[in-house]
């Protein structure tokens, strides 16, 4: 996938949207580089789906500027639509048609010729491991197969930017990981992905950059590693072979906690290489041998809770945002 546009694929500045007195987006700003996965996290009602709806030209913002591949969204919506594809929270397939018929229908809607439409449908069915089920009604497909077909329909027009709004909601772990690999393959081919997800593990595995949205405001942006460093709570756990060695290490290191039964000490720290080496050197100089070492760092669940005050995003979907 190629484009003549240079610079960020998506640029958003001061984006605002309200429904009556309810402010859904309160002046958010972010940029997305080409060929990357940008994930937006937030509790229900935070404004994630509203953001996707605005960027995909489904609704208009109240204020702000959005550029997609250099095209002004408010002035050139048709150019934006030509560059994007959208896979929403709910299946867009016709359950009474076969998988092949759904794809051919999408090709017809994109004004492809009959021969080209069937060729593209066959190519996508094979790519998404749906060729054997091509002639079966979608109503007979598993949840994972339906989501793969959904994404295949999005790709009929060969979009350079894809919005994936909760693409793996309700899927079993195996189907979810299959979708993850599909996303990685798309990005490797140059596609830019805007991902909203209920699963923090998903963002951790897939996203190059993550934005956390809460009450219509972006409260943090960065890589997964950068966001995790915002949250305290990392610690190092050391295990020793006997109580005497444990006691000697405790006197030297002044741990935050100790477990005499498990023969472990816990010390604060994020586990960076320099501090770990310094600590191990101190132990070695004192003749103290460590039997085991484990580094515990905050995960995105910790980040999410600290930044939004919400424990997770697995509640029912937001009504308007």
């Amino acid at each position: 996938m190629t484009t003549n546009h240079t610079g960020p694929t998506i640029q958003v500045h001061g984006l605002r949207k309200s429904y009556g007195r309810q402010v859904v987006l309160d002046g958010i700003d972010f940029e997305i580089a080409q060929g990357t996965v940008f994930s937006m996290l937030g509790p229900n009602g935070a404004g994630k789906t509203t953001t996707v709806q605005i960027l995909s030209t489904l609704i208009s913002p109240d204020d702000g500027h959005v550029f997609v591949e250099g095209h002004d969204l408010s002035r050139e919506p048709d150019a934006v639509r030509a560059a994007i594809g959208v896979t929403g929270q709910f299946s867009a397939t016709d359950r009474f048609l076969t998988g092949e018929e759904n794809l051919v229908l999408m090709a017809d809607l994109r004004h492809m010729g009959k021969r080209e439409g069937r060729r593209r449908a066959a190519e996508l069915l094979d790519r998404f491991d749906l060729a054997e089920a091509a002639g079966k009604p979608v109503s007979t497909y598993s949840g994972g197969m339906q989501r793969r077909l959904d994404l295949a329909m999005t790709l009929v027009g060969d979009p350079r930017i894809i919005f994936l709004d909760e693409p793996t909601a309700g899927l079993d772990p195996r189907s979810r990981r299959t979708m993850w690999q599909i996303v990685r393959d798309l990005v490797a081919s140059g596609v830019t992905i805007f991902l909203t997800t209920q699963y923090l593990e998903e963002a951790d595995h897939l996203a190059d950059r993550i934005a956390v949205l809460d009450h219509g405001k972006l409260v943090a942006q960065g890589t997964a590693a950068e966001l995790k460093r915002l949250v305290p709570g990392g610690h190092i756990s050391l295990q020793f072979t006997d109580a005497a060695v444990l006691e000697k290490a405790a006197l030297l290191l002044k741990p935050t906690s100790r477990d005499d039964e498990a023969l472990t000490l816990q010390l604060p720290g994020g586990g960076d290489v320099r501090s770990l080496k310094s600590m191990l050197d101190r132990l070695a100089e004192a003749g103290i041998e460590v039997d085991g070492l484990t580094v515990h760092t905050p995960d995105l669940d910790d980040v999410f809770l600290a930044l939004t005050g919400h424990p997770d995003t697995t509640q029912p979907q937001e009504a308007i945002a």
Side-chain angles (χ1 to χ4, degrees):
M1 306 240 172
T2 59
T3 174
N4 294 325
H5 175 70
T6 59
T9 295
I10 296 177
Q11 297 171 286
V12 176
H13 304 291
L15 191 63
R16 298 180 184 276
K17 183 68 177 179
S18 298
Y19 292 96
R21 294 183 179 180
Q22 183 181 0
V23 178
V24 181
L25 295 175
D26 192 8
I28 65 173
D29 303 89
F30 61 87
E31 295 184 346
I32 305 176
Q34 180 183 345
T36 63
V37 178
F38 178 89
S39 183
M40 182 170 282
L41 305 179
N44 301 308
K48 304 185 300 297
T49 296
T50 296
T51 303
V52 171
Q53 290 173 335
I54 291 172
L55 297 186
S56 57
T57 76
L58 294 175
I59 62 175
S60 299
D62 296 332
D63 197 6
H65 300 282
V66 177
F67 296 90
V68 178
E69 288 198 335
H71 301 291
D72 187 322
L73 182 139
S74 62
R75 297 178 180 178
E76 305 171 89
D78 288 341
V80 172
R81 293 182 191 116
I84 68 173
V86 182
T87 298
Q89 293 179 12
F90 307 104
S91 177
T93 59
D94 187 323
R95 292 171 56 82
F96 296 102
L97 298 181
T98 67
E100 181 181 26
E101 287 169 342
N102 269 280
L103 288 168
V104 169
L105 174 61
M106 184 60 67
D108 288 343
L109 291 172
R110 288 190 168 272
H111 307 292
M112 290 184 178
K114 187 173 182 180
R115 179 178 297 178
E116 173 61 16
R118 291 194 175 278
R119 184 201 66 77
R120 183 65 172 151
E123 174 188 306
L124 289 167
L125 287 165
D126 184 63
R127 179 177 178 180
F128 286 86
D129 197 23
L130 293 169
E132 291 186 5
K136 297 179 181 178
V138 173
S139 59
T140 66
Y141 285 19
S142 68
M145 292 170 68
Q146 289 188 40
R147 292 307 277 168
R148 295 205 307 274
L149 180 61
D150 237 357
L151 186 50
M153 291 174 66
T154 300
L155 292 176
V156 167
D158 207 22
R160 299 179 294 276
I161 303 163
I162 298 177
F163 295 93
L164 299 179
D165 194 12
E166 313 283 6
T168 63
L171 296 187
D172 62 83
R174 183 182 298 274
S175 296
R176 189 175 303 135
R177 290 183 180 275
T178 298
M179 286 294 289
W180 290 1
Q181 188 55 53
I182 290 171
V183 169
R184 292 188 185 101
D185 292 343
L186 286 169
V187 172
S189 71
V191 174
T192 303
I193 302 288
F194 184 109
L195 171 73
T196 72
T197 179
Q198 295 184 38
Y199 305 107
L200 303 184
E201 178 194 16
E202 187 162 89
D204 207 350
H205 277 273
L206 294 177
D208 296 287
R209 289 187 64 80
I210 297 170
V212 182
L213 189 66
D214 191 35
H215 293 98
K217 295 180 179 290
L218 283 179
V219 294
Q221 293 188 60
T223 65
E226 288 169 345
L227 294 182
K228 290 172 187 176
R229 286 197 290 270
L230 296 176
V231 179
H235 65 271
I236 301 161
S237 180
L238 300 173
Q239 185 162 33
F240 301 91
T241 54
D242 59 59
V245 177
L246 174 74
E247 179 63 28
K248 190 176 180 181
L251 291 172
L252 177 68
L253 299 176
K254 304 296 190 294
T256 54
S257 68
R258 61 185 283 175
D259 185 331
D260 291 308
E261 185 175 340
L263 298 175
T264 59
L265 299 178
Q266 183 173 301
L267 298 92
D272 62 281
V273 174
R274 181 176 296 179
S275 62
L276 280 174
K277 184 177 184 301
S278 175
M279 180 190 63
L280 292 174
D281 285 345
R282 289 179 64 196
L283 290 168
E285 289 171 4
I288 301 171
E289 185 175 343
V290 179
D291 191 49
L293 182 152
T294 307
V295 178
H296 301 264
T297 58
D299 58 21
L300 282 183
D301 291 276
D302 299 315
V303 173
F304 195 89
L305 179 60
L307 295 178
T308 70
H310 300 267
D312 57 50
T313 56
T314 58
Q315 304 302 314
Q317 297 301 304
E318 60 245 45
I320 63 170

